[in-house]
Amino acid sequence: MKMFDYTRAESADAAVAASVDGATFIAGGTNLLDLMKLQIETPSTLIDISRLDLAQVEPLDGGVRIGALVPNSDLAAHPLIRENYPMLARALLSGASAQLRNKATTGGNLLQRTRCYYFYDTAAPCNKRAPGTGCNAQGGFNRIHAVLGASDDCIATHPSDMAVALRALDAAVVTLLPGGDRRRISLGDLYRLPGDTPAVEHCLMPGELITYVELPNPPPGAQAYRKVRDRASYAFALVSVAAAVAVEVGVITSARLAFGGLAPMPWHDPAVEAALIGQAPSTAAFEGAADALLRDARGQGHNDFKIPLMRRTLTATLRELTGAVA
């Protein structure tokens, strides 16, 4: 780990004002500290925001506002989340370990880095860690890597379970900019696909601080979060589905879905929802939704299995939510 300066911010404005070139915010540090130990992240200054007044969950215009410093465990257990957004509670509880969930924060969870083997191996080329050096995952061991949204420069996946549920729930983040202005960014616009600049993972400006996550009214229908992984705890998703589906008079009237483990960002495709709405719950309708989702999917060898696995996982989730008989 390289030497760094440390300062504790007393307010969000002070944190942003202290954010000069090379500075990084730290709250729970569950991902950042690992990256610093490997010298993948080498901030000149750590700005401790863990004591800021951003750890509340409160109603907001029929939805809910979540402070960026709410621990993952507290968010999963909050009555507003458990009752109105159960897919989010389930996604949070499926992530990491209990100890990490007690420390990890809402804002930090959204901005965690990929778990690509080659990103963490500082002896290996990685365009995300060292732009222009190459991507060893392509042609290497790529079992956990992306089948959608990837590029010739990077096939890493986004690791967050929480972000997948928030994408299905149409969440937005509220940020504080240097200078005091605020902006609201939908979760779908927060993240960037790798293209030829995989080191650019989101649209936040230097010194911009996530202060809140906002959720609109709960979606109609039943909700679920289904995660397939190599072991029952402390494992990242091979594939995951966050879904809310409403059925009225035997017809699907509303569908909200997002997917994890497939892409460099929480994946949402309106064509999947369009394939379901207006259809009677059936194997044919569910297969049509899977076709829409996976029409451009491309495996890299070791991760080819993700394509049929996601098809089965999506179908099983839709059966669960609609009560359709296989």
Side-chain angles (χ1 to χ4, degrees):
M1 184 182 291
K2 291 189 175 181
M3 296 290 291
F4 57 89
D5 294 326
Y6 170 88
T7 183
R8 177 178 292 169
E10 300 300 326
S11 68
D13 288 327
V16 170
S19 181
V20 296
D21 287 345
T24 298
F25 301 122
I26 185 169
T30 56
N31 185 211
L32 176 60
L33 292 177
D34 287 341
L35 295 171
M36 290 176 64
K37 290 173 185 177
L38 293 169
Q39 297 189 22
I40 294 170
E41 296 279 359
T42 55
S44 61
T45 303
L46 285 184
I47 304 171
D48 186 348
I49 61 171
S50 63
R51 309 298 174 87
L52 302 187
D53 187 22
L54 294 172
Q56 294 81 34
V57 179
E58 52 197 358
L60 179 70
D61 299 330
V64 66
R65 185 172 73 169
I66 304 163
L69 297 180
V70 176
N72 288 175
S73 54
D74 289 0
L75 185 58
H78 197 281
L80 282 174
I81 302 303
R82 292 179 64 187
E83 294 170 12
N84 299 319
Y85 308 95
M87 75 162 78
L88 176 55
R90 293 170 190 168
L92 286 160
L93 291 173
S94 75
S97 65
Q99 294 92 334
L100 287 173
R101 293 195 297 269
N102 288 340
K103 192 68 174 173
T105 62
T106 300
N109 189 310
L110 290 175
L111 297 181
Q112 64 184 294
R113 308 294 301 274
T114 182
R115 262 54 180 192
C116 171
Y117 323 115
Y118 302 103
F119 176 74
Y120 275 84
D121 180 359
T122 55
C126 172
N127 290 320
K128 184 179 289 291
R129 174 172 34 80
T133 58
C135 175
N136 267 13
Q138 303 195 51
F141 186 57
N142 48 48
R143 185 172 180 271
I144 66 171
H145 289 74
V147 297
L148 288 170
S151 73
D152 290 340
D153 289 307
C154 183
I155 58 172
T157 53
H158 194 275
S160 174
D161 293 291
M162 183 190 78
V164 177
L166 289 177
R167 184 67 186 91
L169 292 167
D170 200 24
V173 298
V174 178
T175 68
L176 179 64
L177 290 154
D181 289 337
R182 295 185 181 272
R183 67 168 173 159
R184 191 175 189 273
I185 310 166
S186 71
L187 206 70
D189 293 330
L190 175 65
Y191 298 110
R192 294 284 181 259
L193 292 177
D196 58 3
T197 56
V200 181
E201 298 176 342
H202 52 71
C203 71
L204 298 183
M205 302 177 190
E208 187 171 7
L209 175 67
I210 295 176
T211 54
Y212 297 99
V213 173
E214 293 181 348
L215 293 174
N217 293 343
Q223 298 180 30
Y225 183 77
R226 184 174 291 226
K227 176 179 181 178
V228 180
R229 49 187 164 175
D230 285 322
R231 58 182 185 270
S233 67
Y234 200 24
F236 296 97
L238 295 172
V239 300
S240 66
V241 179
V245 179
V247 179
E248 296 179 15
V249 197
V251 173
I252 297 172
T253 56
S254 175
R256 299 272 290 277
L257 297 104
F259 306 91
L262 293 184
M265 61 192 292
W267 194 255
H268 173 261
D269 187 341
V272 180
E273 297 159 351
L276 291 169
I277 294 173
Q279 301 294 315
S282 66
T283 298
F286 304 158
E287 287 289 341
D291 288 342
L293 171 65
L294 299 168
R295 64 188 182 277
D296 296 323
R298 181 170 68 92
Q300 296 281 343
H302 297 105
N303 66 348
D304 291 351
F305 74 97
K306 284 192 174 189
I307 298 172
L309 178 61
M310 176 51 84
R311 179 178 294 276
R312 294 193 298 271
T313 304
L314 175 56
T315 298
T317 304
L318 293 172
R319 284 202 185 101
E320 173 191 345
L321 292 177
T322 62
V325 178

